[in-house]
Amino acid sequence: MDDFNWTLHASALVTGLVFGYVLQRGGFCLTRALSNAVLMRDGTILRAYLLALLVAIIGVHTLGALGLLEVPVRPFRWVANILGGLFFGVGMILSGGCSGSTWYRVGEGAVGAWVVLLGFAMGATTVSVGALVPLRTWLQAPTVTVGGAAPTLYALVGLSPWMVIAVLAVAGALFLFRGQAEPDHGKWPWPATGLAVGVMIAAGWWTSGFGDRPAGITFASNTGHLLTYPLVGYPTQVTWSMVMLCGVPVGAWAAACRAGEFRWKLPPGWSLVKIFGGGLLMGGAALLAEGCNINQGLTNSATLSIGSLVTFASMALGAWLALWALYLRRG
């Protein structure tokens, strides 16, 4: 037990527990956010998502300014980011949930979420260490840099990060608080949800520093690792992100029980192939795009990385295309 890193495990578990609780109580899900906005013209959850991103941007750069975090910037692998994002968005619609919401729905008793996660883990493993590694490597090779470094939004426009953040905050406030009144849905109000998720995303950057390196909150490669670690011993040790992930459904279970929302839910038999396929596509696409909707869409978009922002936009576009093909094309 001398080699057991208590700080790593404790910080990861607490982060996962709190994040799972927040996600469940807020009903935070990119799939629902986009589906509701496109099909029902209800932008409530989407506003929470955008507020979370704004809060995370401010939080991450504040941590950097205080010297508590050296903010890493993801590279802009434009082919992989765009294609991976598009396929991930399609996978979200097919599976009926994004990576984060699938994990917290496990804690709500949704049996179908396990089917999605199995597909996700298999897809992620195939692309990360399996037969599709050569294809992933080839697609990730084209990389765009600015001045020899990974491009950021503020570097692209030639302004300081805080000037860009100020503009985004003002524009975001004007957009977010001009929406319609929020319908009653039994969850936290969207401002509380967005604020809580954004704070947790920023905090996740700091708490993940107790692991091998700051990586923030993610649901991508670590989902695959929870499959490969017990089966073949890969990775060779338990990581911060793996422990964090285990805490999410437990925190969500506590939230669901407290709100009287826990119940076992079986998916219709005919949907199993669809949701498994959606999970498979999401997992593979997440490894190609170097992140899921939480990791690229919030955790790394908070650094104002162009690669992450483009990936996030591609996910939204992929989801819209899937919604159009499945529901809107027929009128």
Side-chain angles (χ1 to χ4, degrees):
M1 295 295 288
D2 292 339
D3 295 332
F4 188 82
N5 190 333
W6 290 99
T7 306
L8 179 151
H9 286 77
S11 63
L13 187 59
V14 170
T15 301
L17 288 169
V18 176
F19 197 54
Y21 190 97
V22 167
L23 291 178
Q24 198 284 331
R25 290 310 307 131
F28 194 79
C29 173
L30 183 59
T31 306
R32 285 181 58 204
L34 295 172
S35 298
N36 288 3
V38 172
L39 301 179
M40 297 184 289
R41 299 295 187 267
D42 177 10
T44 301
I45 305 175
L46 186 59
R47 283 190 282 172
Y49 216 99
L50 295 176
L51 177 59
L53 178 56
L54 284 173
V55 172
I57 289 171
I58 295 170
V60 167
H61 285 83
T62 299
L63 289 173
L66 294 174
L68 298 175
L69 172 68
E70 185 175 345
V71 181
V73 177
R74 282 290 178 89
F76 183 17
R77 308 187 195 278
W78 67 276
V79 175
N81 290 153
I82 293 173
L83 287 180
L86 288 171
F87 285 125
F88 188 93
V90 173
M92 286 195 309
I93 301 303
L94 292 177
S95 64
C98 61
S99 53
S101 66
T102 302
W103 270 102
Y104 82 68
R105 283 171 182 158
V106 168
E108 292 180 332
V111 177
W114 287 103
V115 178
V116 177
L117 288 178
L118 177 61
F120 193 109
M122 292 176 65
T125 301
T126 303
V127 173
S128 63
V129 295
L132 294 181
V133 168
L135 178 60
R136 172 178 61 82
T137 303
W138 180 65
L139 290 173
Q140 289 179 342
T143 305
V144 176
T145 60
V146 174
T152 59
L153 185 58
Y154 50 86
L156 203 62
V157 298
L159 297 173
S160 74
W162 287 107
M163 289 186 67
V164 173
I165 291 170
V167 172
L168 291 175
V170 172
L174 291 174
F175 171 77
L176 291 172
F177 294 98
R178 290 181 60 188
Q180 298 177 349
E182 182 174 6
D184 183 21
H185 47 64
K187 297 291 187 179
W188 285 351
W190 72 263
T193 300
L195 178 62
V197 171
V199 168
M200 284 304 302
I201 291 294
W205 271 113
W206 180 69
T207 57
S208 65
F210 291 104
D212 296 332
R213 58 183 176 82
I217 294 176
T218 179
F219 292 83
S221 59
N222 46 345
T223 298
H225 292 163
L226 288 180
L227 174 67
T228 58
Y229 181 77
L231 292 178
V232 297
Y234 177 82
T236 56
Q237 62 182 7
V238 174
T239 65
W240 187 94
S241 294
M242 291 165 65
V243 178
M244 182 279 301
L245 205 53
C246 293
V248 170
V250 180
W253 171 79
C257 289
R258 189 170 187 271
E261 295 176 353
F262 178 85
R263 60 185 62 87
W264 293 109
K265 298 177 283 290
L266 294 173
W270 56 265
S271 71
L272 292 177
V273 173
K274 181 172 76 73
I275 63 177
F276 175 81
L280 194 70
L281 187 58
M282 273 202 299
L287 269 292
L288 174 61
E290 297 192 308
C292 61
N293 62 292
I294 296 293
N295 180 265
Q296 285 284 49
L298 291 176
T299 297
N300 283 287
S301 283
T303 69
L304 297 178
S305 159
I306 294 296
S308 299
L309 293 169
V310 168
T311 302
F312 190 27
S314 299
M315 289 175 180
L317 177 58
W320 182 87
L321 290 172
L323 289 169
W324 178 84
L326 292 173
Y327 304 108
L328 300 178
R329 180 169 57 91
R330 303 170 187 172

